[in-house]
Amino acid sequence: MLRALLLAGLLLANFQCEAQGWKPTRPVAFITPSSPAGSLDLTARVIQKIWDDKRTIGVPIVVINKPGAGNGIAWSYLNERTDGLAIAIGNTNLVSNPITGAHAIGHRDVTPLALMFDDYFVLVVRADSPLKTVADVRDKLKADPASLAVGFGPGIGAGSHTAAAVAWKSMGIDVRKSRFVPYKSAGDGIVAMLASEIEVICGSASNMPAFISGGRVRAIGVIAPQRLNGALAQVPTLKEQGFDAIYTNWRGVIGAKDMRREQVAFWENALAAVNASDAWKKELERNFWRANFMTGTKLREFLDAESVRYRALLTELGLNK
């Protein structure tokens, strides 16, 4: 028994040393489920830059874009990497995909590393659109729910999809009869809208100012608890316009399924360093994000609760399969 206890103690000590000492020794793939310039891509590149500037990781971080299948292509690619040298952006699709049928991979099929922030969405139209307010959209849709098409990215079940459906429902529109058009990214949707293929885009607040400043698109409403700051400060919320629509997105970082505990600890610490940095606080403000850092058991419990909440929400909206 004494020998067994000594052996167990040695094994525990070895594991603790290994856990404290693991770090990447080769370049790391940071997988983003959107096309370049999408909001998910932006998240990865902001984190990458902070790590590079602080030399946090010690090896190059390479951002890899894998859009499609409701982010499932990116997460399938992630799960092929079992060496701890690949991480990916995760968002609400982790709980919505299994419900909508967009992709089988859910939050229990990956390793959640950290929740980083909440994100919000904006409804935009072409600058020359006759739709001036959300009430104009409502009036058009009341006559025919399929008369306007709303685009979003990066695919069915994305936060932008759910946010648009919540907005439509707040207007009293039957979402089952409405036209929701998925794109690989909000940028692709903007291009389609400018080509008059669709009339409205529901896109991440972090992406919209660049398009708005060009003068070709116009924001008509923010799907958020309160007005945002900076370039979007003059855009009223849907609630201000008489529509009870609030939708909070969230975004974080995940690892491959069954990632080793010492690897999880390394990435949690690296992401905590990002969250504590002044550079990150500036990016939160610049991109209209709200800090919401979470790891470990608390994060897993949060994702389980979100799965339950999304099933009820998506079923009510008719988006469940």
Side-chain angles (χ1 to χ4, degrees):
M1 183 178 293
L2 179 60
R3 289 176 180 173
L5 289 172
L6 288 172
L7 178 59
L10 287 171
L11 289 174
L12 178 60
N14 287 338
F15 172 77
Q16 289 173 334
C17 289
E18 184 181 2
Q20 293 170 359
W22 186 91
K23 62 181 181 180
T25 56
R26 302 192 307 277
V28 170
F30 200 164
I31 306 158
T32 174
S34 74
S35 302
S39 61
L40 302 181
D41 177 76
L42 172 65
T43 305
R45 293 184 190 278
V46 166
I47 295 173
Q48 175 201 38
K49 185 177 187 307
I50 292 173
W51 277 338
D52 284 348
D53 290 347
K54 299 290 186 180
R55 299 183 179 178
T56 304
I57 307 304
V59 297
I61 307 291
V62 182
V63 175
I64 299 175
N65 297 91
K66 292 283 185 180
N71 300 352
I73 290 176
W75 298 334
S76 293
Y77 180 74
L78 170 70
N79 274 339
E80 294 173 2
R81 299 286 299 269
T82 59
D83 54 8
L85 299 177
I87 56 176
I89 296 297
N91 62 359
T92 54
N93 286 50
L94 285 169
V95 295
S96 66
N97 276 357
I99 300 168
T100 63
H103 200 276
I105 290 180
H107 70 285
R108 294 180 181 175
D109 303 305
V110 296
T111 299
L113 297 174
L115 190 71
M116 300 300 293
F117 60 85
D118 290 327
D119 192 15
Y120 302 104
F121 293 98
V122 183
L123 296 177
V124 300
V125 298
R126 292 188 304 277
D128 61 354
S129 172
L131 304 170
K132 305 298 183 183
T133 66
V134 176
D136 292 337
V137 173
R138 185 270 317 277
D139 293 344
K140 185 81 172 175
L141 292 171
K142 277 288 189 181
D144 178 4
S147 61
L148 296 177
V150 56
F152 53 88
I156 296 293
S160 50
H161 181 196
T162 308
V166 167
W168 261 226
K169 183 175 181 294
S170 75
M171 301 176 206
I173 307 303
D174 187 346
V175 295
R176 298 169 190 257
K177 297 179 180 178
S178 301
R179 293 167 60 200
F180 295 93
V181 185
Y183 293 90
K184 288 185 177 180
S185 70
D188 292 338
I190 291 286
V191 171
M193 186 175 71
L194 293 175
S196 299
E197 294 176 16
I198 56 178
E199 290 79 22
V200 185
I201 281 288
C202 183
S204 172
S206 60
N207 282 343
M208 292 303 107
F211 295 108
I212 294 169
S213 64
R216 302 184 70 185
V217 305
R218 174 167 40 82
I220 61 172
V222 178
I223 309 170
Q226 60 274 326
R227 287 199 188 196
L228 303 179
N229 57 3
L232 297 175
Q234 301 305 312
V235 183
T237 65
L238 267 67
K239 197 170 185 65
E240 285 180 77
Q241 300 180 63
F243 304 100
D244 191 17
I246 295 176
Y247 180 81
T248 302
N249 195 12
W250 44 262
R251 200 166 304 156
V253 180
I254 60 176
K257 186 176 183 179
D258 299 326
M259 179 179 273
R260 287 158 44 194
R261 280 183 287 178
E262 62 269 27
Q263 295 167 344
V264 172
F266 175 88
W267 290 115
E268 285 180 346
N269 290 334
L271 291 163
V274 170
N275 181 65
S277 69
D278 290 337
W280 180 247
K281 292 178 176 63
K282 291 178 181 178
E283 290 295 338
L284 291 174
E285 183 175 356
R286 186 201 316 273
N287 294 295
F288 315 99
W289 298 335
R290 186 180 68 183
N292 189 11
F293 188 74
M294 202 181 301
T295 60
T297 300
K298 185 177 179 182
L299 173 56
R300 291 190 293 273
E301 291 175 348
F302 168 80
L303 292 174
D304 286 341
E306 284 290 274
S307 180
V308 173
R309 185 174 76 88
Y310 266 74
R311 182 165 295 280
L313 173 63
L314 294 171
T315 299
E316 182 183 5
L317 296 174
L319 299 177
N320 62 313
K321 298 295 183 182

